[in-house]
Amino acid sequence: MAAGAPERHKGGCLCGAVQFEALGLADIWFCHCRQCRYLSGHFVAAAAVMRENVKMEGPLKWTPFTATAEYAFCLACGTPLFWRQTNGRTLSIFAGSLTHTDGLAVKGHMFVGEKGDYYQITDGLPQFERHPPGDGVRDHFNAHEAHNLKRANKE
């Protein structure tokens, strides 16, 4: 892989019927919002990626979750895999569905104001009541797009 090239991550569902490949994942965030807790039964660990940088195969079902968001799961085994805002540019991949997380780091906790009262966050990572300042995930993709634009102008 060329230096500075985004890493490719693969993953899939528990039964193997759904497989995916993502290029250029953002780092992992732990989300404690009510929506994520209802979806997963606890908080969610997810990494965002630009939608056009994901290839998916298999029996995948997208289901509306709120008026502005939907999630996808494997029709064969029910594993939840993805979450997205219906009008957004990114897709969040549940970190547990990735084959490996090489090159990714956990950046922190978001929506801690909505976390469950049955656990404490004691890992020392940054915590944010809602989104991180500047929305760290969006900043990641804006920087990535700027980098690609510079490279394209040099070529």
Side-chain angles (χ1 to χ4, degrees), residues 41-118:
H42 195 40
F43 64 86
V44 164
V49 65
M50 297 301 291
R51 288 184 187 190
E52 63 268 16
N53 292 342
V54 181
K55 295 178 186 168
M56 306 170 205
E57 294 179 3
L60 193 65
K61 167 88 171 147
W62 285 96
T63 301
F65 192 63
T66 69
T68 60
E70 58 190 356
Y71 76 100
F73 61 93
C74 171
L75 279 171
C77 68
T79 300
L81 299 164
F82 310 109
W83 179 93
R84 66 184 179 194
Q85 292 285 341
T86 51
N87 63 350
R89 300 178 334 164
T90 62
L91 169 78
S92 290
I93 298 175
F94 296 137
S97 68
L98 294 166
T99 304
H100 69 83
T101 57
D102 297 348
L104 302 176
V106 176
K107 298 301 275 189
H109 299 266
M110 63 175 83
F111 289 91
V112 297
E114 297 180 29
K115 79 169 201 55
D117 60 3
Y118 60 92

